[in-house]
Amino acid sequence: MLNIVRRIRDLYRLNRIVPLVKSGQSIEFKIPNDKIKKVVKHINLEELKVGDVKKISIFKNGDLINFIFLVLPEDEPDLFSVAELGRKTINSLDKKELKSIDYTEIEALYKSKNSYRFSRAFFEGMLYGLYTFDKYKEGNQKHDGIEISISEKFYDFSLKSGIVDEMNILFKNIYMARDLINTPPNDLTPHNFASFIKGNSNDKLNINVLYHGDIKENGLNLIYAVGNGSEHKPCLVRIDYEGKPESKDKIVLVGKGVTFDSGGTNLKPTGSIETMKSDMSGAASVYAIMKSISESSLPVNVTAFLPLVENTIGATAYRPGDIIRSFSGKTVEVLNTDAEGRLVLADSLSMALKENPSLIIDMATLTGACVVALGSNIAGYFSNDDNYACKLEKSFVDNYEDICRLPLYAKYKDRLKSKIADLQNISKKRTEAGAIMGALFLQEFVGNSPWIHIDIAGPAFIEDNHPVFGEGGSGYGIRSLYNFIKCNFSS
Ligand code: BES
Ligand code: MG
Ligand code: ZN
């Protein structure tokens, strides 16, 4: 997908990227090059501001050559802005025709010893920008990837550090997750999703699927109840990866996989229902993380549980008022069939707990309240373990995926007590603290195990336009969680 080759020392390549530095009111060239100065004459430097991407096209020997000028700040930029420049660069070119780019590295402009991460963020922004979802359009074509010519120094670094291979693995899987999220719910049913996972995995991943009957037999009654309204019956996918057989340590990942969330009998209104094909983003992202871990052969043991269900309205659907005995034994009074994510996750978290894990992480498009609180760029996370919470947050910051910790506020636990069952699935105070109440409900099923819950309802699916991810299914969190596991558990 991304192929980095040594720079060909020819200024007039078809697509040439030139970083400029803005200090105060003027633009400086930190990379002096008289030939570039000739091209720069065509732009009004005074008009440019930090963050601009300006394209100048010139004809040379019958070829149209694009010079793309990036305007960077004099002080070290943040990685998010650099990735944003990468995406803007791709968007300034014809994506379909784009085959190669000659790239003047950004890291040479700054002094810090980790300056290579600027180039990495720029490439990542380009890769996010190259993604398109046009499978359902006439005349669609797959992009074969892009070749980038760079300096000797960065080339050596990228070979030694293996970052190009890793970026390729991660982005291939991010594209896969984005495709799954964007696929309409008539094509991505629970069964089709499970079949896709079985057909797409390598032999380092062990896949086991519990189907409708098995789910009932095993007493996974919450998953069974939520999925029972649909003709497309539920399944629970289990994925095992054993990269460190000599150790018993294990991480368990859980991903919410509601292939369509109509709200059930508590039907969602127009305006909230249209994007609910994306309610399986947690499952798609966890699968992409498992694939990336296995393809990079990380020395770590990880198991994943993906409850795949369709939450529909209908004759066999569960009802507000139903009381269901969960796999854990706790009974749950369903007071709102639209709070279905916490139900399917509850049984999956109980399964996770049986594995005696060092850490459980779940990813879920759980609450609209989290989007109200933090907006669509930022995920909320909750944890009962400060040490892991800190490390997780660091990984999200390093990978410039925005996240914010919210409290597991124990004094609100009473609000989930049902009069006639052990728990109810929504809070007694319906209009308050929705994201916290979802997390507190999940906490009832993780015992004393270290656990992190990530509510990705905002960033998983972008309705307008995110500066780095663009539109639609984003693949949010895949890079950060992969790196969190790589840096903290594999050794
Ligand atoms: N899938 C939704 C949450 C959601 C909302 C995800 C917006 C992405 C964007 C979830 O199942 C849901 O419907 N939650 C309810 C909970 C409520 C009934 C307590 C909500 O947020 O309104
Ligand atoms: Mg719902
Ligand atoms: Zn949902």
Side-chain angles (χ1 to χ4, degrees):
M1 193 186 290
L2 179 71
N3 182 21
I4 292 190
V5 294
R6 256 173 237 261
R7 182 191 300 166
I8 303 148
R9 292 192 164 277
D10 165 20
L11 178 70
Y12 295 107
R13 300 266 293 163
L14 294 186
N15 295 297
R16 167 104 197 198
I17 297 179
V18 188
L20 306 176
V21 167
K22 176 115 185 168
S23 67
Q25 286 310 304
S26 63
I27 299 272
E28 279 177 21
F29 300 96
K30 284 266 170 85
I31 304 172
N33 187 324
D34 284 343
K35 284 184 181 162
I36 288 176
K37 280 187 180 161
K38 272 190 213 155
V39 185
V40 166
K41 281 197 184 125
H42 296 277
I43 44 178
N44 181 355
L45 292 175
E46 296 309 312
E47 268 177 15
L48 291 181
K49 53 186 188 315
V50 170
D52 280 354
V53 170
K54 178 88 185 166
K55 183 170 86 175
I56 301 288
S57 305
I58 61 168
F59 268 108
K60 174 112 182 156
N61 304 333
D63 278 329
L64 184 69
I65 297 161
N66 296 313
F67 282 84
I68 300 130
F69 294 93
L70 314 176
V71 189
L72 289 140
E74 189 175 33
D75 297 333
E76 284 197 352
D78 62 277
L79 297 178
F80 187 101
S81 323
V82 175
E84 187 179 350
L85 285 178
R87 194 171 93 84
K88 279 193 201 164
T89 300
I90 291 298
N91 286 345
S92 75
L93 295 162
D94 180 352
K95 276 193 210 183
K96 289 218 165 90
E97 297 301 317
L98 187 62
K99 296 219 163 46
S100 71
I101 274 185
D102 190 12
Y103 167 73
T104 313
E105 66 284 4
I106 294 175
E107 80 277 1
L109 302 175
Y110 300 104
K111 287 205 180 68
S112 80
K113 73 173 189 297
N114 283 330
S115 58
Y116 75 85
R117 62 206 172 103
F118 297 123
S119 288
R120 182 184 184 150
F122 185 76
F123 293 155
E124 287 169 342
M126 289 204 283
L127 288 169
Y128 278 117
L130 275 173
Y131 176 79
T132 49
F133 185 70
D134 52 10
K135 198 171 144 194
Y136 290 84
K137 284 208 180 257
E138 209 179 314
N140 64 65
Q141 59 184 66
K142 265 265 163 281
H143 199 282
D144 309 325
I146 168 171
E147 184 177 286
I148 299 178
S149 315
I150 50 162
S151 73
E152 210 113 318
K153 201 174 135 215
F154 190 73
Y155 180 80
D156 290 344
F157 171 78
S158 64
L159 278 192
K160 260 188 256 144
S161 61
I163 66 162
V164 176
D165 289 343
E166 197 169 64
M167 261 196 275
N168 274 327
I169 289 174
L170 278 167
F171 274 88
K172 194 183 76 200
N173 291 319
I174 286 171
Y175 282 23
M176 175 198 72
R178 296 180 78 168
D179 280 349
L180 285 167
I181 298 166
N182 290 327
T183 298
N186 54 331
D187 281 348
L188 195 80
T189 60
H191 265 74
N192 291 349
F193 196 169
S195 304
F196 175 83
I197 292 173
K198 283 213 253 177
N200 244 271
S201 301
N202 55 46
D203 53 12
K204 290 188 210 163
L205 292 177
N206 207 341
I207 316 282
N208 276 293
V209 184
L210 293 183
Y211 292 97
H212 192 50
D214 314 317
I215 289 175
K216 183 157 198 160
E217 246 167 58
N218 281 280
L220 295 155
N221 298 324
L222 291 175
I223 299 178
Y224 185 85
V226 174
N228 201 41
S230 173
E231 290 217 2
H232 304 292
K233 295 299 180 202
C235 32
L236 177 65
V237 177
R238 177 189 175 127
I239 309 174
D240 288 287
Y241 169 73
E242 201 179 40
K244 203 181 184 186
E246 68 282 11
S247 159
K248 283 213 158 68
D249 289 348
K250 182 192 269 194
I251 300 172
V252 180
L253 305 177
V254 176
K256 173 177 173 183
V258 178
T259 58
F260 180 67
D261 181 10
S262 70
T265 303
N266 294 97
L267 192 64
K268 283 185 185 292
T270 298
S272 309
I273 202 167
E274 296 81 357
T275 55
M276 282 301 132
K277 66 173 181 183
S278 67
D279 212 19
M280 35 54 72
S281 301
S285 305
V286 166
Y287 178 50
I289 294 163
M290 293 301 285
K291 273 203 90 188
S292 305
I293 289 173
S294 70
E295 285 162 13
S296 306
S297 299
L298 294 189
V300 60
N301 303 324
V302 195
T303 291
F305 290 100
L306 313 176
L308 308 179
V309 300
E310 185 178 34
N311 185 21
T312 58
I313 187 163
T316 56
Y318 73 140
R319 296 151 285 250
D322 283 357
I323 295 182
I324 299 156
R325 184 173 298 279
S326 68
F327 182 78
S328 76
K330 289 185 183 177
T331 53
V332 181
E333 184 183 14
V334 176
L335 288 180
N336 191 318
T337 58
D338 199 11
E340 85 298 340
R342 63 197 69 184
L343 299 177
V344 298
L345 289 175
D347 274 352
S348 309
L349 291 168
S350 302
M351 292 292 278
L353 199 55
K354 286 209 306 179
E355 301 296 311
N356 196 21
S358 327
L359 175 64
I360 302 173
I361 305 173
D362 76 75
M363 283 179 101
T365 45
L366 202 69
T367 65
C370 197
V371 194
V372 173
L374 301 174
S376 57
N377 280 18
I378 311 171
Y381 80 100
F382 300 80
S383 182
N384 57 3
D385 188 301
D386 289 344
N387 181 33
Y388 284 134
C390 246
K391 289 178 169 153
L392 179 99
E393 187 163 328
K394 181 179 182 313
S395 186
F396 274 79
V397 170
D398 288 349
N399 290 285
Y400 55 91
E401 295 194 286
D402 294 323
I403 199 160
C404 180
R405 190 171 182 182
L406 296 170
L408 283 168
Y409 190 69
K411 295 187 190 75
Y412 290 166
K413 272 191 188 172
D414 281 356
R415 299 181 180 190
L416 289 172
K417 276 200 183 136
S418 155
K419 284 194 183 129
I420 53 172
D422 298 326
L423 290 165
Q424 57 182 48
N425 77 332
I426 52 165
S427 168
K428 281 175 194 155
K429 288 210 175 187
R430 296 188 183 212
T431 56
E432 278 188 24
I436 296 177
M437 296 317 297
L440 286 175
F441 184 89
L442 298 182
Q443 194 180 13
E444 294 291 326
F445 298 87
V446 296
N448 293 322
S449 170
W451 159 70
I452 298 171
H453 156 58
I454 310 177
D455 192 334
I456 55 170
F461 188 87
I462 310 289
E463 277 192 74
D464 41 13
N465 210 339
H466 183 279
V468 176
F469 302 138
E471 267 182 282
S474 66
Y476 171 91
I478 296 171
R479 284 180 305 112
S480 300
L481 273 174
Y482 168 88
N483 280 300
F484 168 73
I485 292 170
K486 180 183 166 191
C487 300
N488 295 288
F489 295 89
S490 69
S491 56

